[in-house]
């Protein structure tokens, strides 16, 4: 695969071969039975451009990987090995056999703890044997993999139990008229996993990665917040007190405000993590500055850089210069002055307005502090006039 760095994982009975490309939050891509990792190339092209790191292996008995595939358990063990070779917080994307192997791997709590979420591509755990056999026979796959098919079908009760116990986000991406997944399958799936979401790529068949790779990549891109949320929970954001509940609640509310103002993906991720290093107004740090790499791996370099700028802002020095463009931002960690302009300045201003509005809505404030928030938001109108006007019209600031 062009641009991929070669990877290999030694298993007790074989070697799995694959590759990785890109930087940012990690997506582990597990192909369908009868495919190879190259099927993901058009998908990864989009994901890498969107700021993801993609990892894909040939499953055992496929492509460049050795071994044979006669049962689901070895495939699941392979997925577990792939996840243990990655940093925590992967989004796992499994198509058909890859999805079933991922579900089986997630039965192990130690594996599940490394996963930020699961995307199933045109596969559900509650398989109907007669329909599955007929679908595979029509595609000429039943005789080739009959032993594996019967083993997978025997695993359905276990796959159902695992799915019902999943405590990570789940997205089902189904194809259209050529899909192996029916409306009834979706209904049963949602009863097993009520917190799951479903999206349909209407003009794709069972192999969505082949039929509509861009649409599939866009669906996967929508999971970008999953690794960030997993990291925030791991760092204890849900246990830190903050007006309106806890810090995690606050971060999510501010992110929703920024999303409503059309901030874009980079700003959305930065907003969700905007207090990671503590701020001049809320000094509790979830991560020390010598661990910035962990946040970069989770949300990407560009989003992390905006988190740093927001958290590093010396407010007394910087706010005194509001209205200037570029805005001279004094870094409270280093004492340096940075000229904020362009997308950085817009993002900083939108984040500031949203953060202050959420505080005004949820904190018990003195009239003087509330007036100070109004004054600050009004000053931000030099950079984000529409968002500032909407915030100033909010009942909490009237």
């Amino acid at each position: 695969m062009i641009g991929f760095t070669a990877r290999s994982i030694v298993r007790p009975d074989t070697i799995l071969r694959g590759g990785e490309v890109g930087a940012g939050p990690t997506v582990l891509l597990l192909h369908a039975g009868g495919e190879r990792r190259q099927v993901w190339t058009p998908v990864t092209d989009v994901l890498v451009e969107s700021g993801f790191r993609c990892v894909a292996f040939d499953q055992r008995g496929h492509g460049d990987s050795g071994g044979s595939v006669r049962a689901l358990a070895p495939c699941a063990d392979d997925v577990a090995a792939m996840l243990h070779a990655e940093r925590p917080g992967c989004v796992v994307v499994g198509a058909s056999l890859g999805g079933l192997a991922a579900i089986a791997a997630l039965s192990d709590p130690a594996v599940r703890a490394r996963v930020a979420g699961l995307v199933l591509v045109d596969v559900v755990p509650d398989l109907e044997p007669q329909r599955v056999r007929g679908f595979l026979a029509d595609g000429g796959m039943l005789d080739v993999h009959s032993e594996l098919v019967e083993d997978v079908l025997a695993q359905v009760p276990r796959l159902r139990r695992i799915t019902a116990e999943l405590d990570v986000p789940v997205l089902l991406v189904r194809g259209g008229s050529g899909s192996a997944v029916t409306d009834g399958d979706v209904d049963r799936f949602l009863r097993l996993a009520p917190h799951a979401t479903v999206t349909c790529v209407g003009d794709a068949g069972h192999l969505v990665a082949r039929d509509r790779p861009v649409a599939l990549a866009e669906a996967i891109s929508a999971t970008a917040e999953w690794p960030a949320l997993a990291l925030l929970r791991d760092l204890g954001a849900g246990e830190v007190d903050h007006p309106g509940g806890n810090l995690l609640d606050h971060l999510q509310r501010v992110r929703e405000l920024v999303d409503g103002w059309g901030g874009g993906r980079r700003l959305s991720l930065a907003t969700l993590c905007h207090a990671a290093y503590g701020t001049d107004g809320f000094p509790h740090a979830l991560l020390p500055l010598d661990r910035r790499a962990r946040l970069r791996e989770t949300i990407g370099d560009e989003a992390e850089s905006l988190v740093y700028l927001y958290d590093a802002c010396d407010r007394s020095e910087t706010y005194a210069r509001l209205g200037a463009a570029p805005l001279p931002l004094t870094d409270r960690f280093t004492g340096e002055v940075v000229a904020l302009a362009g997308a950085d300045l817009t993002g900083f201003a939108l984040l500031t307005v949203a953060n202050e509005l959420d505080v005004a809505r949820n904190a018990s404030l003195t009239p003087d502090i509330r007036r100070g928030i109004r004054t600050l938001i009004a000053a931000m109108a030099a950079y984000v006039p529409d968002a500032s006007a909407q915030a100033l019209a909010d009942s909490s600031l009237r």
Side-chain angles (χ1 to χ4, degrees):
M1 300 173 75
I2 297 175
F4 272 63
T5 299
R7 292 276 305 278
S8 63
I9 296 178
V10 178
R11 304 290 297 130
D13 59 339
T14 191
I15 297 177
L16 305 175
R17 301 198 183 276
E20 66 173 87
V21 65
T26 296
V27 177
L28 175 63
L29 299 157
L30 307 169
H31 64 72
E35 293 284 352
R36 300 181 62 172
R37 67 186 189 274
Q38 282 82 356
V39 73
W40 296 113
T41 300
V43 177
T44 60
D45 288 345
V46 178
L47 290 176
V48 169
E49 183 68 24
S50 298
F52 287 87
R53 172 176 172 266
C54 297
V55 179
F57 286 88
D58 286 331
Q59 294 202 61
R60 61 172 51 234
H62 293 76
D64 297 325
S65 293
S68 59
V69 53
R70 297 188 178 90
L72 186 61
C75 297
D77 291 342
D78 291 344
V79 173
M82 295 174 198
L83 288 167
H84 281 296
E86 296 298 325
R87 54 193 177 236
C90 286
V91 172
V92 181
V93 179
S96 197
L97 173 62
L100 298 173
I103 293 172
L106 293 177
S107 64
D108 182 348
V111 175
R112 199 161 58 247
R114 305 185 69 80
V115 171
L118 172 65
V119 179
L120 297 172
V121 183
D122 213 58
V123 67
V124 292
D126 194 11
L127 304 170
E128 292 187 350
Q130 184 175 353
R131 185 153 50 83
V132 168
R133 293 187 187 101
F135 183 86
L136 293 173
D138 290 344
M141 297 289 290
L142 184 59
D143 291 339
V144 178
H145 297 293
S146 59
E147 190 174 351
L148 173 63
V149 171
E150 295 308 315
D151 179 77
V152 169
L153 292 175
Q155 298 292 324
V156 165
R158 179 170 177 266
L159 294 171
R160 285 174 48 87
R161 287 195 299 272
I162 296 167
T163 303
E165 295 171 358
L166 286 179
D167 55 359
V168 298
V170 180
L171 169 66
L172 169 62
V173 182
R174 59 180 297 202
S177 58
S179 169
V181 176
T182 67
D183 291 343
D185 292 333
V186 173
D187 290 341
R188 291 194 306 278
F189 173 72
L190 290 175
R191 286 196 291 272
L192 281 176
H195 69 293
T197 56
V198 180
T199 187
C200 180
V201 181
D203 49 355
H206 179 54
L207 299 176
V208 184
R210 284 191 178 278
D211 297 340
R212 290 292 308 282
V214 174
L216 177 56
E218 291 171 348
I220 296 169
S221 294
T223 71
E225 70 171 27
W226 291 359
L229 287 169
L231 176 61
L232 291 169
R233 293 189 181 101
D234 184 53
L235 295 174
E239 284 73 57
V240 178
D241 289 337
H242 195 281
N246 58 58
L247 179 57
L248 183 57
D249 294 335
H250 165 70
L251 296 172
Q252 291 181 289
R253 290 194 304 266
V254 176
R255 188 274 314 275
E256 289 171 2
L257 282 170
V258 168
D259 287 353
W261 293 333
R265 179 174 170 271
R266 177 214 184 196
L267 181 55
S268 181
L269 291 174
T271 301
L272 188 57
C273 300
H274 75 262
Y277 309 126
T279 71
D280 206 1
F282 189 78
H284 184 100
L286 298 174
L287 274 174
L289 289 176
D290 61 3
R291 296 179 65 195
R292 287 180 65 182
R294 186 171 183 191
L295 188 58
R296 292 190 190 105
E297 292 167 352
T298 303
I299 63 174
D301 291 354
E302 292 185 352
E304 187 278 337
S305 68
L306 184 55
V307 172
Y308 177 85
L309 287 170
Y310 183 80
D311 291 358
C313 175
D314 181 320
R315 294 182 177 183
S316 62
E317 292 288 333
T318 303
Y319 288 176
R321 303 181 180 110
L322 288 175
L327 171 66
L329 181 147
T330 299
D331 187 323
R332 67 189 180 96
F333 300 130
T334 67
E336 297 178 359
V337 176
V338 179
L340 277 190
D344 283 345
L345 179 53
T346 300
F348 176 84
L350 281 174
L351 176 46
T352 300
V353 172
N355 181 75
E356 298 301 325
L357 176 58
D358 186 73
V359 170
R361 285 175 171 177
N362 291 283
S364 297
L365 305 174
T366 66
D368 283 347
I369 292 176
R370 205 171 292 275
R371 280 194 293 273
I373 290 176
R374 282 188 57 87
T375 300
L376 174 59
I377 291 177
M380 290 293 172
Y383 314 115
V384 286
D386 292 343
S388 294
Q390 290 181 42
L392 292 171
D394 192 86
S395 60
S396 66
L397 288 172
R398 287 175 187 163

